[in-house]
Amino acid sequence: LKTGMADAFKVTNKIGLLGTAVSEHPSLCNLLDFGIKKSGNLSISSMRVDTIKKDMAGLLKNCGYKTITIAPEAGSERLRRVINKTYTDEEILDTVGLISEAGMKRIKLYYMIGLPTEEEEDIDALIELNLRVKKRFTKGLITVKITPFVPKPGTPFQWHPYTEVKVLKKRIVRIKRALQEINGVKLNISSPQKAYIQSILSLGGRQVLDAIIKVSGGADIKKVLKSLSPEPDFYVHRKKRMDEVFPWDFIDNGISKEYLYREYQKGLKGIITAPCGSERCSACGICR
């Protein structure tokens, strides 16, 4: 990696480190230090809350990093357990404190709303958590990015319906009322209606292909969706049986459908599945 970075720095002083788990790379601090010595600027798409340490925060600042993005993902610890995330509010706040102490002036926090089992109490928790973040990060800009949760194929939540748009809009109004007037806090909230369309594309069958072709040809998307059969809500809001045949079931990604459904049921109950290791296997099917 250092060799590749050295070659890249010959033509540019800006390098982006991209990947699904960049912040977990065992040599990340060494790479950041290398970038500093080369007088280069490095950027990382997002950092896991529980991977940022004091030395890493300082290195990020010194290599030109201007905004650190972390993903609490849900406002409450209970709801984080539903999506198999174990970090606590205090861990999030401690990470924010480290970022502030390193001298960073901008931080972005990413959340989802409409997650399975979400209740109004979880929205209260999201608001309260960001108020506490503001107390820890007093001298810079906090961007709160909120996106409606879209169920995806090949995941435990492929059985779960998308939250109704009217419910999401009400929750967004509550968040805006509580946070948008606070100095130093910027809200960036994605459209529930657009996420509804994403859900159709995510969960729909071959009939949705006809809709895509019509829209790409210039047809009005609202009219196309109204003419869709079955109607969009059939894909988006309907509760699905365990044995339902999905349009994507013919794709073998190695993970058994039975395992995904078990994980779905565990998620609804807030039961954590630990990461697989050399002495632990969650029996998803991949290792066959």
Side-chain angles (χ1 to χ4, degrees), residues 15-201:
I15 293 178
L17 302 178
L18 305 177
T20 56
V22 175
S23 60
E24 298 171 63
H25 195 287
S27 299
L28 179 58
C29 285
N30 290 333
L31 293 173
L32 294 173
D33 186 57
F34 180 74
I36 293 169
K37 291 176 180 177
K38 291 290 184 179
S39 300
N41 293 332
L42 297 178
S43 64
I44 301 171
S45 55
S46 180
M47 304 286 288
R48 263 187 54 174
V49 170
D50 52 356
T51 59
I52 299 178
K53 307 301 180 188
K54 186 174 183 179
D55 55 345
M56 184 183 294
L59 288 168
L60 287 166
K61 172 68 166 56
N62 292 334
C63 71
Y65 210 78
K66 295 185 176 3
T67 303
I68 291 186
T69 301
I70 59 175
E73 298 196 73
S76 69
E77 294 179 10
R78 182 201 71 80
L79 199 52
R80 276 178 228 127
R81 293 182 67 85
V82 170
I83 57 174
N84 215 50
K85 305 295 182 181
T86 58
Y87 35 81
T88 65
D89 290 351
E90 291 306 319
E91 287 176 313
I92 295 168
L93 293 168
D94 287 345
T95 298
V96 169
L98 289 175
I99 295 170
S100 179
E101 290 169 12
M104 304 291 286
K105 297 302 182 183
R106 289 185 290 184
I107 185 171
K108 180 183 288 186
L109 298 110
Y110 173 79
Y111 299 90
M112 290 179 283
I113 59 172
L115 286 163
T117 78
E118 182 179 82
E119 299 290 347
E120 296 305 316
E121 291 81 2
D122 299 300
I123 302 302
D124 292 336
L126 186 152
I127 292 169
E128 178 61 25
L129 178 58
N130 283 285
L131 293 175
R132 295 176 70 189
V133 166
K134 177 58 182 173
K135 291 180 179 179
R136 294 284 185 100
F137 198 80
T138 58
K139 298 181 180 180
L141 176 65
I142 301 167
T143 299
V144 179
K145 171 67 175 176
I146 297 175
T147 303
F149 171 73
V150 175
K152 294 296 176 64
T155 72
F157 294 125
Q158 63 186 349
W159 284 273
H160 202 79
Y162 175 71
T163 302
E164 291 189 15
V165 170
K166 62 181 181 181
V167 174
L168 292 170
K169 286 184 175 179
K170 287 180 180 178
R171 291 175 180 171
I172 287 171
V173 167
R174 289 187 58 210
I175 294 169
K176 284 184 175 180
R177 285 175 177 169
L179 299 178
Q180 69 179 357
E181 298 301 328
I182 297 177
N183 188 39
V185 175
K186 176 184 176 182
L187 292 179
N188 184 343
I189 303 178
S190 299
S191 163
Q193 187 62 41
K194 289 183 178 179
Y196 173 85
I197 295 173
Q198 289 180 40
S199 297
I200 297 170
L201 298 175

Side-chain angles (χ1 to χ4, degrees), residues 211-235:
I212 294 173
I213 294 172
K214 290 177 182 178
V215 173
S216 67
D220 180 77
I221 189 169
K222 291 183 179 179
K223 292 181 178 179
V224 170
L225 292 179
K226 285 182 179 179
S227 66
L228 198 63
S229 180
E231 63 178 2
D233 284 359
F234 174 83
Y235 300 111

